[in-house]
Amino acid sequence: MAFTCATGKHRRQGRVTRTTTNAMGLAALTTTGVIGTLTSPAFAADGSAEAEQTGLTQALSVGDAVAEHIKAQATAQERAMERKQAAEAARRQAAAEAKKEREAEEHAAREAERKLLNTCVAPISGSYVSTAYRSGGTLWSSGTHTGIDFHAASGTPVHAVGAGTVVEAGWGGAYGYQIVLRMHDGTYTQYGHLSSIGVNVGQSVTPGEQIALSGATGNVTGPHLHFEVRTSADYGSDIDPVAYLRTHGVHL
């Protein structure tokens, strides 16, 4: 015969049983990580109003705390990202400014170099042409003067007319002691009848740099500076020195 219970209303569940059930639910939430800490006076006080709450109410209350914690973490991460982005933007701006400054310096250097290359001066300061280009006579082996002569006493400073490189520095036969410069534009300038040479072959010179002292060495009738311009290093490729200097801004 099967065991049966009497019909009618059964006795409601006791407080001890409900409390045990709630505790088991909270323990399960703690084990799964949903609730980090449940130790509070509300759960410890047996018989209080909080102890009478259902497990769902307790879970919702703890869930609100977890949500606030997650929100605070998200806010902190967002602020950290904003700081990182601001730092990256500042780094990019500093790099752009440094690049702009470097480009400006490079541009200024190129402009200074271009200005230097295009600068030209007279080989003798405050002097004048005493013998013109292509002057005829028996004094020159070719029959005409291949350069121009500047009036200058012995020992007068001689200057490079422009930027160039020394390709000859020494005795030049009828030219006496001479210097030949290869200019930046590929032409050659010659300084003859010198009494003293102040540069060496291979040396670079700048416009107006003193390279020698004038004199009366070689085939001369008196002290002066012979200045000649050639399109190549070969004799006979001479061009008008006055026109050359004029095209470079020097008017004699």
Side-chain angles (χ1 to χ4, degrees), residues 190-217:
Q190 180 188 37
Y191 311 78
H193 310 308
L194 305 173
S195 62
S196 175
I197 294 175
V199 292
N200 299 309
V201 173
Q203 180 178 335
S204 295
V205 296
T206 56
E209 180 177 345
Q210 181 174 326
I211 58 175
L213 297 176
S214 64
T217 58

PDB file of all heavy atoms in Angstrom, residues 190-217:
ATOM      1  N   GLN A 190      92.510  82.580 -63.963  1.00  0.00           N
ATOM      2  CA  GLN A 190      93.960  82.551 -63.802  1.00  0.00           C
ATOM      3  C   GLN A 190      94.446  83.878 -63.215  1.00  0.00           C
ATOM      4  O   GLN A 190      93.962  84.951 -63.585  1.00  0.00           O
ATOM      5  CB  GLN A 190      94.628  82.310 -65.152  1.00  0.00           C
ATOM      6  CG  GLN A 190      96.157  82.251 -65.092  1.00  0.00           C
ATOM      7  CD  GLN A 190      96.749  82.212 -66.497  1.00  0.00           C
ATOM      8  OE1 GLN A 190      96.244  82.856 -67.412  1.00  0.00           O
ATOM      9  NE2 GLN A 190      97.826  81.456 -66.651  1.00  0.00           N
ATOM     10  N   TYR A 191      95.401  83.763 -62.280  1.00  0.00           N
ATOM     11  CA  TYR A 191      95.971  84.933 -61.608  1.00  0.00           C
ATOM     12  C   TYR A 191      97.486  84.831 -61.792  1.00  0.00           C
ATOM     13  O   TYR A 191      98.132  83.934 -61.231  1.00  0.00           O
ATOM     14  CB  TYR A 191      95.598  84.926 -60.126  1.00  0.00           C
ATOM     15  CG  TYR A 191      94.110  84.696 -59.880  1.00  0.00           C
ATOM     16  CD1 TYR A 191      93.562  83.404 -59.979  1.00  0.00           C
ATOM     17  CD2 TYR A 191      93.258  85.739 -59.578  1.00  0.00           C
ATOM     18  CE1 TYR A 191      92.206  83.181 -59.782  1.00  0.00           C
ATOM     19  CE2 TYR A 191      91.900  85.527 -59.369  1.00  0.00           C
ATOM     20  CZ  TYR A 191      91.384  84.251 -59.483  1.00  0.00           C
ATOM     21  OH  TYR A 191      90.033  84.038 -59.292  1.00  0.00           O
ATOM     22  N   GLY A 192      98.054  85.755 -62.595  1.00  0.00           N
ATOM     23  CA  GLY A 192      99.467  85.628 -62.947  1.00  0.00           C
ATOM     24  C   GLY A 192     100.359  86.746 -62.440  1.00  0.00           C
ATOM     25  O   GLY A 192      99.891  87.781 -61.968  1.00  0.00           O
ATOM     26  N   HIS A 193     101.702  86.493 -62.550  1.00  0.00           N
ATOM     27  CA  HIS A 193     102.767  87.422 -62.151  1.00  0.00           C
ATOM     28  C   HIS A 193     102.781  87.675 -60.637  1.00  0.00           C
ATOM     29  O   HIS A 193     103.090  88.777 -60.181  1.00  0.00           O
ATOM     30  CB  HIS A 193     102.653  88.756 -62.907  1.00  0.00           C
ATOM     31  CG  HIS A 193     102.512  88.591 -64.383  1.00  0.00           C
ATOM     32  ND1 HIS A 193     103.376  87.822 -65.131  1.00  0.00           N
ATOM     33  CD2 HIS A 193     101.595  89.104 -65.255  1.00  0.00           C
ATOM     34  CE1 HIS A 193     103.012  87.850 -66.410  1.00  0.00           C
ATOM     35  NE2 HIS A 193     101.931  88.624 -66.512  1.00  0.00           N
ATOM     36  N   LEU A 194     102.459  86.664 -59.857  1.00  0.00           N
ATOM     37  CA  LEU A 194     102.346  86.812 -58.403  1.00  0.00           C
ATOM     38  C   LEU A 194     103.729  86.848 -57.744  1.00  0.00           C
ATOM     39  O   LEU A 194     104.695  86.250 -58.247  1.00  0.00           O
ATOM     40  CB  LEU A 194     101.536  85.646 -57.824  1.00  0.00           C
ATOM     41  CG  LEU A 194     100.147  85.428 -58.444  1.00  0.00           C
ATOM     42  CD1 LEU A 194      99.528  84.146 -57.905  1.00  0.00           C
ATOM     43  CD2 LEU A 194      99.236  86.632 -58.162  1.00  0.00           C
ATOM     44  N   SER A 195     103.776  87.499 -56.610  1.00  0.00           N
ATOM     45  CA  SER A 195     105.009  87.497 -55.820  1.00  0.00           C
ATOM     46  C   SER A 195     104.943  86.463 -54.696  1.00  0.00           C
ATOM     47  O   SER A 195     105.978  86.043 -54.175  1.00  0.00           O
ATOM     48  CB  SER A 195     105.246  88.883 -55.217  1.00  0.00           C
ATOM     49  OG  SER A 195     104.185  89.229 -54.332  1.00  0.00           O
ATOM     50  N   SER A 196     103.754  86.063 -54.355  1.00  0.00           N
ATOM     51  CA  SER A 196     103.585  85.082 -53.283  1.00  0.00           C
ATOM     52  C   SER A 196     102.279  84.319 -53.505  1.00  0.00           C
ATOM     53  O   SER A 196     101.267  84.904 -53.911  1.00  0.00           O
ATOM     54  CB  SER A 196     103.559  85.783 -51.919  1.00  0.00           C
ATOM     55  OG  SER A 196     103.291  84.857 -50.880  1.00  0.00           O
ATOM     56  N   ILE A 197     102.314  83.010 -53.221  1.00  0.00           N
ATOM     57  CA  ILE A 197     101.133  82.139 -53.369  1.00  0.00           C
ATOM     58  C   ILE A 197     100.697  81.666 -51.989  1.00  0.00           C
ATOM     59  O   ILE A 197     101.519  81.182 -51.202  1.00  0.00           O
ATOM     60  CB  ILE A 197     101.455  80.937 -54.280  1.00  0.00           C
ATOM     61  CG1 ILE A 197     101.731  81.429 -55.705  1.00  0.00           C
ATOM     62  CG2 ILE A 197     100.318  79.919 -54.269  1.00  0.00           C
ATOM     63  CD1 ILE A 197     102.170  80.325 -56.649  1.00  0.00           C
ATOM     64  N   GLY A 198      99.399  81.780 -51.706  1.00  0.00           N
ATOM     65  CA  GLY A 198      98.899  81.422 -50.369  1.00  0.00           C
ATOM     66  C   GLY A 198      97.954  80.241 -50.329  1.00  0.00           C
ATOM     67  O   GLY A 198      97.317  80.005 -49.289  1.00  0.00           O
ATOM     68  N   VAL A 199      97.851  79.460 -51.418  1.00  0.00           N
ATOM     69  CA  VAL A 199      96.955  78.299 -51.436  1.00  0.00           C
ATOM     70  C   VAL A 199      97.678  77.105 -52.042  1.00  0.00           C
ATOM     71  O   VAL A 199      98.756  77.251 -52.632  1.00  0.00           O
ATOM     72  CB  VAL A 199      95.670  78.594 -52.254  1.00  0.00           C
ATOM     73  CG1 VAL A 199      94.801  79.625 -51.552  1.00  0.00           C
ATOM     74  CG2 VAL A 199      96.012  79.051 -53.676  1.00  0.00           C
ATOM     75  N   ASN A 200      97.066  75.941 -51.900  1.00  0.00           N
ATOM     76  CA  ASN A 200      97.638  74.704 -52.433  1.00  0.00           C
ATOM     77  C   ASN A 200      96.659  74.036 -53.394  1.00  0.00           C
ATOM     78  O   ASN A 200      95.440  74.251 -53.316  1.00  0.00           O
ATOM     79  CB  ASN A 200      97.959  73.727 -51.286  1.00  0.00           C
ATOM     80  CG  ASN A 200      98.964  74.289 -50.312  1.00  0.00           C
ATOM     81  OD1 ASN A 200     100.034  74.762 -50.713  1.00  0.00           O
ATOM     82  ND2 ASN A 200      98.641  74.255 -49.025  1.00  0.00           N
ATOM     83  N   VAL A 201      97.200  73.230 -54.288  1.00  0.00           N
ATOM     84  CA  VAL A 201      96.364  72.494 -55.234  1.00  0.00           C
ATOM     85  C   VAL A 201      95.376  71.602 -54.469  1.00  0.00           C
ATOM     86  O   VAL A 201      95.748  70.916 -53.506  1.00  0.00           O
ATOM     87  CB  VAL A 201      97.232  71.643 -56.180  1.00  0.00           C
ATOM     88  CG1 VAL A 201      96.357  70.743 -57.060  1.00  0.00           C
ATOM     89  CG2 VAL A 201      98.104  72.542 -57.043  1.00  0.00           C
ATOM     90  N   GLY A 202      94.118  71.614 -54.899  1.00  0.00           N
ATOM     91  CA  GLY A 202      93.072  70.828 -54.244  1.00  0.00           C
ATOM     92  C   GLY A 202      92.300  71.584 -53.200  1.00  0.00           C
ATOM     93  O   GLY A 202      91.259  71.107 -52.719  1.00  0.00           O
ATOM     94  N   GLN A 203      92.787  72.754 -52.842  1.00  0.00           N
ATOM     95  CA  GLN A 203      92.117  73.542 -51.808  1.00  0.00           C
ATOM     96  C   GLN A 203      90.887  74.242 -52.381  1.00  0.00           C
ATOM     97  O   GLN A 203      90.889  74.743 -53.496  1.00  0.00           O
ATOM     98  CB  GLN A 203      93.099  74.580 -51.251  1.00  0.00           C
ATOM     99  CG  GLN A 203      92.529  75.465 -50.154  1.00  0.00           C
ATOM    100  CD  GLN A 203      93.582  76.424 -49.618  1.00  0.00           C
ATOM    101  OE1 GLN A 203      94.796  76.150 -49.701  1.00  0.00           O
ATOM    102  NE2 GLN A 203      93.135  77.545 -49.077  1.00  0.00           N
ATOM    103  N   SER A 204      89.824  74.292 -51.592  1.00  0.00           N
ATOM    104  CA  SER A 204      88.622  75.030 -51.985  1.00  0.00           C
ATOM    105  C   SER A 204      88.720  76.452 -51.465  1.00  0.00           C
ATOM    106  O   SER A 204      89.207  76.683 -50.350  1.00  0.00           O
ATOM    107  CB  SER A 204      87.371  74.357 -51.414  1.00  0.00           C
ATOM    108  OG  SER A 204      87.193  73.074 -51.974  1.00  0.00           O
ATOM    109  N   VAL A 205      88.256  77.400 -52.267  1.00  0.00           N
ATOM    110  CA  VAL A 205      88.307  78.804 -51.875  1.00  0.00           C
ATOM    111  C   VAL A 205      86.915  79.408 -52.017  1.00  0.00           C
ATOM    112  O   VAL A 205      86.068  78.912 -52.761  1.00  0.00           O
ATOM    113  CB  VAL A 205      89.314  79.595 -52.736  1.00  0.00           C
ATOM    114  CG1 VAL A 205      90.726  79.078 -52.507  1.00  0.00           C
ATOM    115  CG2 VAL A 205      88.950  79.510 -54.207  1.00  0.00           C
ATOM    116  N   THR A 206      86.680  80.483 -51.307  1.00  0.00           N
ATOM    117  CA  THR A 206      85.400  81.174 -51.320  1.00  0.00           C
ATOM    118  C   THR A 206      85.564  82.550 -51.969  1.00  0.00           C
ATOM    119  O   THR A 206      86.677  83.074 -52.064  1.00  0.00           O
ATOM    120  CB  THR A 206      84.861  81.343 -49.890  1.00  0.00           C
ATOM    121  OG1 THR A 206      85.838  82.039 -49.100  1.00  0.00           O
ATOM    122  CG2 THR A 206      84.579  79.990 -49.254  1.00  0.00           C
ATOM    123  N   PRO A 207      84.468  83.141 -52.408  1.00  0.00           N
ATOM    124  CA  PRO A 207      84.554  84.464 -53.037  1.00  0.00           C
ATOM    125  C   PRO A 207      85.201  85.490 -52.116  1.00  0.00           C
ATOM    126  O   PRO A 207      84.836  85.604 -50.944  1.00  0.00           O
ATOM    127  CB  PRO A 207      83.098  84.817 -53.318  1.00  0.00           C
ATOM    128  CG  PRO A 207      82.402  83.506 -53.401  1.00  0.00           C
ATOM    129  CD  PRO A 207      83.089  82.628 -52.407  1.00  0.00           C
ATOM    130  N   GLY A 208      86.189  86.212 -52.630  1.00  0.00           N
ATOM    131  CA  GLY A 208      86.858  87.250 -51.846  1.00  0.00           C
ATOM    132  C   GLY A 208      87.971  86.742 -50.967  1.00  0.00           C
ATOM    133  O   GLY A 208      88.660  87.550 -50.319  1.00  0.00           O
ATOM    134  N   GLU A 209      88.191  85.436 -50.925  1.00  0.00           N
ATOM    135  CA  GLU A 209      89.276  84.897 -50.093  1.00  0.00           C
ATOM    136  C   GLU A 209      90.630  85.285 -50.676  1.00  0.00           C
ATOM    137  O   GLU A 209      90.854  85.155 -51.882  1.00  0.00           O
ATOM    138  CB  GLU A 209      89.157  83.377 -50.001  1.00  0.00           C
ATOM    139  CG  GLU A 209      90.241  82.728 -49.142  1.00  0.00           C
ATOM    140  CD  GLU A 209      90.050  81.231 -49.021  1.00  0.00           C
ATOM    141  OE1 GLU A 209      88.955  80.735 -49.348  1.00  0.00           O
ATOM    142  OE2 GLU A 209      91.017  80.548 -48.608  1.00  0.00           O
ATOM    143  N   GLN A 210      91.552  85.749 -49.813  1.00  0.00           N
ATOM    144  CA  GLN A 210      92.878  86.115 -50.296  1.00  0.00           C
ATOM    145  C   GLN A 210      93.646  84.845 -50.632  1.00  0.00           C
ATOM    146  O   GLN A 210      93.763  83.925 -49.814  1.00  0.00           O
ATOM    147  CB  GLN A 210      93.640  86.922 -49.248  1.00  0.00           C
ATOM    148  CG  GLN A 210      95.028  87.350 -49.717  1.00  0.00           C
ATOM    149  CD  GLN A 210      95.732  88.267 -48.724  1.00  0.00           C
ATOM    150  OE1 GLN A 210      95.094  89.068 -48.042  1.00  0.00           O
ATOM    151  NE2 GLN A 210      97.064  88.142 -48.653  1.00  0.00           N
ATOM    152  N   ILE A 211      94.190  84.808 -51.858  1.00  0.00           N
ATOM    153  CA  ILE A 211      94.908  83.614 -52.311  1.00  0.00           C
ATOM    154  C   ILE A 211      96.371  83.886 -52.636  1.00  0.00           C
ATOM    155  O   ILE A 211      97.177  82.960 -52.756  1.00  0.00           O
ATOM    156  CB  ILE A 211      94.216  83.011 -53.549  1.00  0.00           C
ATOM    157  CG1 ILE A 211      94.134  84.033 -54.689  1.00  0.00           C
ATOM    158  CG2 ILE A 211      92.818  82.494 -53.201  1.00  0.00           C
ATOM    159  CD1 ILE A 211      93.575  83.481 -55.997  1.00  0.00           C
ATOM    160  N   ALA A 212      96.740  85.182 -52.790  1.00  0.00           N
ATOM    161  CA  ALA A 212      98.126  85.489 -53.190  1.00  0.00           C
ATOM    162  C   ALA A 212      98.407  86.974 -52.996  1.00  0.00           C
ATOM    163  O   ALA A 212      97.544  87.743 -52.549  1.00  0.00           O
ATOM    164  CB  ALA A 212      98.343  85.086 -54.644  1.00  0.00           C
ATOM    165  N   LEU A 213      99.642  87.338 -53.367  1.00  0.00           N
ATOM    166  CA  LEU A 213     100.048  88.735 -53.420  1.00  0.00           C
ATOM    167  C   LEU A 213     100.545  89.016 -54.837  1.00  0.00           C
ATOM    168  O   LEU A 213     101.216  88.184 -55.451  1.00  0.00           O
ATOM    169  CB  LEU A 213     101.164  89.027 -52.404  1.00  0.00           C
ATOM    170  CG  LEU A 213     100.813  88.831 -50.932  1.00  0.00           C
ATOM    171  CD1 LEU A 213     102.052  89.074 -50.061  1.00  0.00           C
ATOM    172  CD2 LEU A 213      99.681  89.761 -50.502  1.00  0.00           C
ATOM    173  N   SER A 214     100.195  90.175 -55.347  1.00  0.00           N
ATOM    174  CA  SER A 214     100.606  90.537 -56.704  1.00  0.00           C
ATOM    175  C   SER A 214     102.108  90.799 -56.759  1.00  0.00           C
ATOM    176  O   SER A 214     102.760  91.023 -55.734  1.00  0.00           O
ATOM    177  CB  SER A 214      99.845  91.778 -57.167  1.00  0.00           C
ATOM    178  OG  SER A 214     100.190  92.893 -56.351  1.00  0.00           O
ATOM    179  N   GLY A 215     102.642  90.754 -57.995  1.00  0.00           N
ATOM    180  CA  GLY A 215     104.086  90.980 -58.138  1.00  0.00           C
ATOM    181  C   GLY A 215     104.456  91.275 -59.588  1.00  0.00           C
ATOM    182  O   GLY A 215     103.631  91.778 -60.355  1.00  0.00           O
ATOM    183  N   ALA A 216     105.692  90.924 -59.941  1.00  0.00           N
ATOM    184  CA  ALA A 216     106.200  91.205 -61.298  1.00  0.00           C
ATOM    185  C   ALA A 216     107.035  90.043 -61.795  1.00  0.00           C
ATOM    186  O   ALA A 216     108.074  90.233 -62.434  1.00  0.00           O
ATOM    187  CB  ALA A 216     107.010  92.491 -61.298  1.00  0.00           C
ATOM    188  N   THR A 217     106.589  88.808 -61.486  1.00  0.00           N
ATOM    189  CA  THR A 217     107.330  87.630 -61.934  1.00  0.00           C
ATOM    190  C   THR A 217     106.901  87.253 -63.353  1.00  0.00           C
ATOM    191  O   THR A 217     105.787  87.535 -63.781  1.00  0.00           O
ATOM    192  CB  THR A 217     107.085  86.444 -60.983  1.00  0.00           C
ATOM    193  OG1 THR A 217     105.676  86.154 -60.925  1.00  0.00           O
ATOM    194  CG2 THR A 217     107.561  86.750 -59.580  1.00  0.00           C
TER     195      THR A 217
END
